[in-house]
Amino acid sequence: MTIPTLTLCRTCRDADPTLPDQLREAVTCAGLDVKLQQVDCMSGCKRPQTLSVRQAGKTAYLFGEVLTADIPDILTFLRLFAETKDGNLVDARPIGGLRFKAIARIPADID
């Protein structure tokens, strides 16, 4: 079974250089099994700093305007995402303000 991959844009205008380390520490402390990576430009420039969450066989998500203050909501999202078969959340309210930062949901490949 695959694990989720979180990808943060590191070149966004006003990107918080501490966000990746803080997010890594938070997911580790929460005991979540995820891969965290950084890439140059995810084309979310109008809503920096962008974060994607992907996992094979599940809907992928792209969030914008992600801040360190969103880390608790990201952890909640990851827990709920892990509980789903297809990555679709039945109710987004538990992820707080992060739900308003969603830029896109990308459906998984259909076999």
Side-chain angles (χ1 to χ4, degrees), residues 11-102:
T11 56
C12 282
R13 168 183 41 88
D14 300 327
D16 179 351
T18 69
L19 181 58
D21 289 337
Q22 289 186 56
L23 185 55
R24 185 180 318 280
E25 182 177 344
V27 297
T28 300
C29 289
L32 298 171
D33 192 15
V34 301
K35 176 182 174 185
L36 183 60
Q37 64 183 8
Q38 295 181 71
V39 297
D40 292 338
C41 195
M42 292 173 39
S43 294
C45 304
K46 291 192 183 225
R47 295 186 61 192
Q49 182 163 14
T50 54
L51 167 72
S52 69
V53 180
R54 298 176 297 124
Q55 184 173 349
K58 291 189 174 189
T59 295
Y61 290 81
L62 180 64
F63 298 99
E65 301 170 287
V66 176
L67 306 169
T68 55
D70 296 313
I71 290 175
D73 291 338
I74 293 168
L75 297 178
T76 299
F77 172 81
L78 292 171
R79 287 186 195 101
L80 294 171
F81 186 77
E83 293 172 1
T84 68
K85 179 182 175 191
D86 61 5
N88 291 306
L89 304 184
V90 174
D91 183 359
R93 289 177 293 181
I95 65 171
L98 187 65
R99 72 186 187 274
F100 300 116
K101 295 183 175 195

Side-chain angles (χ1 to χ4, degrees), residues 100-111:
F100 300 116
K101 295 183 175 195
I103 296 172
R105 282 185 338 154
I106 302 134
D109 290 339
I110 299 173
D111 294 325

